[in-house]
Amino acid sequence: MAICAFFSNFVAINAESIKQTFSNTQKEFGKFMTEEEKILGEAEYSAQNIQVLEGLEAVRKRPAMYIGDISFNGLHHLINEVVDNSIDEALAGFCDKIEVIINEDNSVTVQDNGRGIPVDMHEKEHKSALEVVMTVLHAGGKFDKGSYKVSGGLHGVGVSCVNALSKKMISQVYRNGKVYQQEYAYGKPLYDVKEIGVSDKTGTRQQFWPDDSIFTETVFNYDRVANRMRELAFLNAGITIELTDMRKDEEGNIRHDVFHSVEGLKEFVRYIDSSRVHLFNDVIYINTEKQGIPIEVAVMYNTGFSENLHSYVNNINTIEGGTHLTGFRRALTRTLKKYAEDNKMLEKAKVEIDGEDFREGLTAVISIKVAEPQFEGQTKTKLGNSEVSGAVEQAVGEAFSIYLEEHPKESKVIVDKVILAAQARVAARKARETVQRKSPMSGGGMPGKLADCSSKDPDESELFLVEGDSAGGSAKQGRNRTFQAILPLRGKILNVEKAQWHKAFESDEVNNIIQALGIRFGVDSEDSKVANLDKIRYKKVIIMTDADVDGSHIDTLVMTFFYRYMPEVIERGYLYIATPPLYLCTKGKVKEYCWTDQQRQRFIDTYGGGQEGAIHTQRYKGLGEMNPEQLWETTMNPENRMLKQVDLTNATEADYIFSMLMGEDVGPRREFIEKNATYANIDA
Ligand code: 0RA
């Protein structure tokens, strides 16, 4: 069994949202794409487009407005929403344990040991407070507990949204020595809150069954939930989050994890960076408060070449950055520069040092709590509060200069690394300029291997990155020339996880991709590593490789390249992976392409059983085994094909996984492979 068997699942981890697209027949793939458009269409509705509807009907009418979408991500958002309420109770200081159970019937239970949602009569509404919380939109916010509520982005829509989108929900409150309960169907109470028993415990227990008439995907993914629970445990030291999956796997086992962090971000940064080689073992750690803003920061330096900043505001991953990151960067540059200058360490460097040089090989997690966060940006994950940058800059600046003064050995190692980074940056610029000068591509020309499409409209244009020249040839013949361009890749592209930037820019394959896409680096930004997408020529970039372990490896190399060099391509949802079929099943005149073993089995069951049926199936191992028409029909034609969209739902986990898979350390990689191998059966 080859070592790379895990890669297809790896895609699934970073692109979970598309896992559900494995529908049953080819026809359904087509249907899914329309479904997808429908989902996107809904998500684009802005608040102004929506009339304010009464109560939870609004949520059921336009679910995507409240939870982002109605497929994989939206489904998992339900769990986050319920857990966030318990986290709020923990942040208020009244709860330290949260249990999450994915039940056998695919309902979810969330139980905490907080004070319990109040059940007494709400004066205005003449209803129990519990009923108000569960049935009135945004009622959650009415109880101001004086803490930093987890809200913003898509978060904080309230548990009533979960209720509205569940065919059934049961709330139980342990409080005043009693147990209270109320049940709901589609958000509507089935009876008044009632006492159902006695208990000396306190807390809240919520169980919900997502409404399968609303969600296109209703099966929860353990890893997806686990990643978020792990993240929450790191971000909120001291809380224990227990996760259990009661659905048995093939061996009849259930899964269970307990997430608990004593040292918070200090442990988080060690976890993210566990596969990297460090310049020194220390975590530079800050846990303080400035201008009323709690600030926690953990920093590690490694021998790698990328900058990995992970930032959170009120437990929300601010993927687009914002004022807290600005403050952090400024403090880092200022203090390191001053330290190096004061100690006359830069003189021998012979290059100008730039801000970005201070961040090469840096992994940092920043978590702050803001009472009234303003979230901006395309995905509402960019912090806008202007008062924050100064506070973070001051906190980080003070702590960093103390660290540097007290650790001269480590400080020298950091400064030496900074100088190397500056020299590499200059070399990278030269390499880029040389490439542009010597190649026939300068002046807007395109790489010779690119078969471009005729459209010049990026919105409709697609670039296929195809494994190998021969499959590239088939794709060139099979494609729709109007909007589909083909760029063949020769073999495995450079593993950028292990290469300096200038090495990447010296690689032909890398340059071809950058050139074909029309991406420019260091334009409109002080940072030469920031990709500028203004002139991007295709808004779909589709990686198309063989359905085998090597193909998956190439997928991963290309994804790593995009993730490290132009994450915005992924953030904007432009990166996809094509999925060629695994089998062509034929019986007489009936022909069916199959993408999974289950589909193939179904074909065999339908058209002739047992051993004999398996004799009528042809296993495709390579794109090259299909002729151009077949390739078009199954893998490229937007009507039939199934694309997996690569997304960055959890950028921190992606960083951890990319560095583990592509880095130096063999142990964790092997473990991951063994856990996630998917090609084991078909390539054996
Ligand atoms: C407001 C007031 C109080 C508790 C809560 C909210 C609460 C809400 C949730 C949601 C999930 N778990 C929760 N635990 C507590 C109690 C106020 C008091 O007892 O004085």
Side-chain angles (χ1 to χ4, degrees):
M1 219 346 270
I3 208 99
C4 313
F6 57 89
F7 282 116
S8 80
N9 238 34
F10 164 61
V11 173
I13 283 177
N14 292 284
E16 297 131 318
S17 65
I18 40 69
K19 257 185 115 179
Q20 81 284 3
T21 58
F22 282 100
S23 318
N24 294 329
T25 69
Q26 212 186 313
K27 266 199 206 122
E28 283 175 57
F29 292 148
K31 195 178 112 205
F32 174 76
M33 290 310 284
T34 358
E35 200 70 40
E36 184 187 54
E37 279 153 28
K38 202 177 89 193
I39 295 164
L40 288 176
E42 288 208 41
E44 276 163 18
Y45 256 88
S46 72
Q48 292 100 309
N49 292 341
I50 310 277
Q51 53 181 138
V52 182
L53 297 165
E54 278 284 309
L56 297 187
E57 267 317 296
V59 182
R60 293 183 57 81
K61 274 211 166 98
R62 296 232 165 271
M65 258 292 293
Y66 298 86
I67 54 164
D69 67 43
I70 52 167
S71 56
F72 194 79
N73 285 324
L75 180 77
H76 288 81
H77 189 81
L78 300 180
I79 300 187
N80 294 343
E81 198 57 50
V82 178
V83 171
D84 282 352
N85 286 295
S86 299
I87 293 279
D88 279 345
E89 182 69 357
L91 289 178
F94 298 103
C95 156
D96 63 4
K97 183 160 181 191
I98 303 169
E99 277 178 84
V100 180
I101 304 161
I102 305 172
N103 298 298
E104 268 187 291
D105 62 359
N106 209 47
S107 66
V108 171
T109 305
V110 178
Q111 175 150 17
D112 67 48
N113 66 349
R115 292 168 294 179
I117 298 176
V119 288
D120 37 36
M121 280 295 159
H122 198 273
E123 275 184 20
K124 269 197 223 124
E125 309 263 356
H126 299 292
K127 283 173 193 159
S128 156
L130 173 64
E131 180 171 334
V132 176
V133 167
M134 296 305 294
T135 59
V136 179
L137 211 48
H138 297 304
K142 281 187 188 160
F143 303 95
D144 190 356
K145 289 177 279 175
S147 70
Y148 305 96
K149 285 205 64 82
V150 177
S151 64
L154 286 170
H155 292 256
V157 291
V159 68
S160 60
C161 282
V162 178
N163 194 14
L165 300 175
S166 296
K167 58 189 175 196
K168 178 178 171 183
M169 187 150 185
I170 304 175
S171 296
Q172 288 179 353
V173 170
Y174 296 72
R175 205 177 148 90
N176 315 327
K178 302 199 175 84
V179 185
Y180 303 88
Q181 176 172 294
Q182 189 170 39
E183 288 179 65
Y184 319 83
Y186 309 99
K188 296 209 168 77
L190 298 181
Y191 48 80
D192 290 344
V193 174
K194 64 180 180 190
E195 286 180 32
I196 59 161
V198 291
S199 172
D200 54 5
K201 290 192 204 122
T202 66
T204 305
R205 183 183 185 277
Q206 302 277 21
Q207 184 175 7
F208 63 94
W209 289 255
D211 183 352
D212 43 28
S213 73
I214 285 186
F215 289 95
T216 56
E217 171 63 41
T218 51
V219 181
F220 289 101
N221 177 293
Y222 185 85
D223 290 316
R224 164 66 175 262
V225 181
N227 288 340
R228 176 62 180 160
M229 298 308 131
R230 180 186 300 109
E231 188 179 41
L232 282 172
F234 281 131
L235 289 168
N236 304 282
I239 305 179
T240 302
I241 306 180
E242 258 189 61
L243 174 63
T244 311
D245 191 345
M246 300 303 289
R247 303 166 302 179
K248 295 187 176 64
D249 65 13
E250 283 130 32
E251 281 110 47
N253 298 320
I254 61 163
R255 291 181 72 179
H256 180 69
D257 279 290
V258 179
F259 301 109
H260 177 85
S261 170
V262 178
E263 296 185 289
L265 295 196
K266 211 172 183 174
E267 282 174 68
F268 198 7
V269 78
R270 281 197 194 282
Y271 168 79
I272 297 168
D273 243 24
S274 56
S275 297
R276 295 193 168 105
V277 179
H278 293 101
L279 296 188
F280 47 89
N281 197 32
D282 271 10
V283 175
I284 304 172
Y285 181 69
I286 303 160
N287 194 358
T288 181
E289 192 174 313
K290 273 269 139 64
Q291 298 160 31
I293 301 169
I295 298 168
E296 195 184 352
V297 179
V299 173
M300 275 194 111
Y301 277 97
N302 62 68
T303 57
F305 307 106
S306 49
E307 166 193 343
N308 307 299
L309 298 184
H310 302 284
S311 64
Y312 296 83
V313 175
N314 300 356
N315 291 331
I316 295 160
N317 191 188
T318 37
I319 300 168
E320 296 174 275
T323 46
H324 52 329
L325 269 195
T326 314
F328 171 81
R329 288 202 172 101
R330 226 185 273 150
L332 189 78
T333 307
R334 185 167 50 76
T335 34
L336 265 174
K337 198 166 192 164
K338 181 165 189 311
Y339 177 85
E341 277 168 1
D342 288 354
N343 292 280
K344 310 207 180 330
M345 295 161 96
L346 292 180
E347 284 160 10
K348 62 171 199 267
K350 297 207 175 71
V351 282
E352 275 294 311
I353 309 279
D354 258 10
E356 63 181 271
D357 304 328
F358 291 101
R359 300 190 300 272
E360 193 176 278
L362 174 105
T363 302
V365 190
I366 303 166
S367 171
I368 66 167
K369 303 270 182 353
V370 181
E372 282 182 49
Q374 295 148 23
F375 288 106
E376 304 167 349
Q378 280 203 327
T379 54
K380 291 266 174 279
T381 58
K382 180 175 184 177
L383 186 70
N385 303 49
S386 56
E387 73 279 11
V388 169
S389 67
V392 174
E393 182 176 351
Q394 202 191 344
V396 174
E398 283 171 14
F400 232 84
S401 47
I402 292 173
Y403 182 88
L404 294 174
E405 291 303 338
E406 289 179 355
H407 299 78
K409 255 199 346 238
E410 285 79 4
S411 304
K412 179 165 187 323
V413 174
I414 297 174
V415 175
D416 284 346
K417 166 95 179 164
V418 170
I419 293 171
L420 280 180
Q423 288 163 344
R425 176 176 46 78
V426 173
R429 198 185 58 219
K430 284 193 181 135
R432 261 205 317 275
E433 286 166 2
T434 316
V435 168
Q436 280 165 8
R437 225 179 301 119
K438 76 172 180 215
S439 76
M441 302 182 293
S442 51
M446 282 293 137
K449 288 182 359 164
L450 175 75
D452 210 354
C453 53
S454 55
S455 168
K456 294 282 167 258
D457 178 1
D459 284 308
E460 67 168 18
S461 301
E462 305 178 343
L463 176 67
F464 282 81
L465 303 174
V466 186
E467 171 184 359
D469 287 329
S470 89
S474 293
K476 283 178 189 177
Q477 287 176 48
R479 69 183 170 139
N480 179 325
R481 282 157 195 275
T482 316
F483 64 94
Q484 294 181 320
I486 310 293
L487 181 67
L489 299 177
R490 182 164 306 136
K492 302 203 167 157
I493 78 157
L494 184 79
N495 177 358
V496 297
E497 197 70 33
K498 290 187 185 169
Q500 280 186 304
W501 275 65
H502 66 96
K503 287 276 179 259
F505 285 108
E506 282 159 19
S507 140
D508 284 344
E509 302 309 313
V510 164
N511 269 309
N512 285 346
I513 297 174
I514 294 171
Q515 208 84 29
L517 278 171
I519 302 252
R520 297 161 306 154
F521 284 85
V523 181
D524 286 344
S525 164
E526 288 164 32
D527 197 326
S528 72
K529 291 178 179 169
V530 173
N532 182 303
L533 270 57
D534 292 351
K535 298 208 162 142
I536 195 159
R537 301 175 64 245
Y538 316 90
K539 290 199 181 171
K540 277 205 170 86
V541 183
I542 302 165
I543 309 169
M544 186 160 78
T545 59
D546 292 343
D548 63 10
V549 290
D550 282 337
S552 296
H553 190 199
I554 294 172
D555 290 347
T556 315
L557 288 166
V558 177
M559 282 192 291
T560 308
F561 169 58
F562 277 97
Y563 177 60
R564 293 295 181 209
Y565 281 60
M566 30 191 145
E568 211 180 326
V569 171
I570 303 180
E571 279 156 28
R572 290 201 198 176
Y574 296 166
L575 189 63
Y576 296 84
I577 295 173
T579 55
L582 289 182
Y583 303 100
L584 172 61
C585 300
T586 42
K587 171 79 184 208
K589 281 195 179 128
V590 189
K591 267 192 184 184
E592 208 171 284
Y593 294 102
C594 295
W595 275 258
T596 63
D597 284 324
Q598 289 92 318
Q599 287 174 17
R600 170 172 167 264
Q601 194 53 50
R602 201 168 309 128
F603 183 91
I604 295 169
D605 293 346
T606 313
Y607 294 104
Q611 281 301 324
E612 199 226 337
I615 300 159
H616 300 295
T617 63
Q618 178 196 343
R619 163 83 170 98
Y620 287 125
K621 281 207 171 166
L623 300 168
E625 290 174 35
M626 282 183 272
N627 62 36
E629 290 73 34
Q630 286 173 322
L631 194 57
W632 161 256
E633 206 181 321
T634 60
T635 314
M636 298 178 74
N637 180 355
E639 303 266 314
N640 303 328
R641 73 181 179 198
M642 210 260 314
L643 296 181
K644 300 200 245 181
Q645 188 177 39
V646 180
D647 85 13
L648 269 182
T649 312
N650 193 320
T652 314
E653 190 66 13
D655 186 6
Y656 166 73
I657 290 175
F658 273 111
S659 58
M660 172 183 66
L661 291 181
M662 311 310 271
E664 311 285 344
D665 211 350
V666 182
R669 174 156 59 220
R670 172 153 312 147
E671 205 174 290
F672 187 86
I673 293 166
E674 280 163 9
K675 211 169 104 199
N676 293 285
T678 50
Y679 282 121
N681 334 337
I682 50 184
D683 279 339

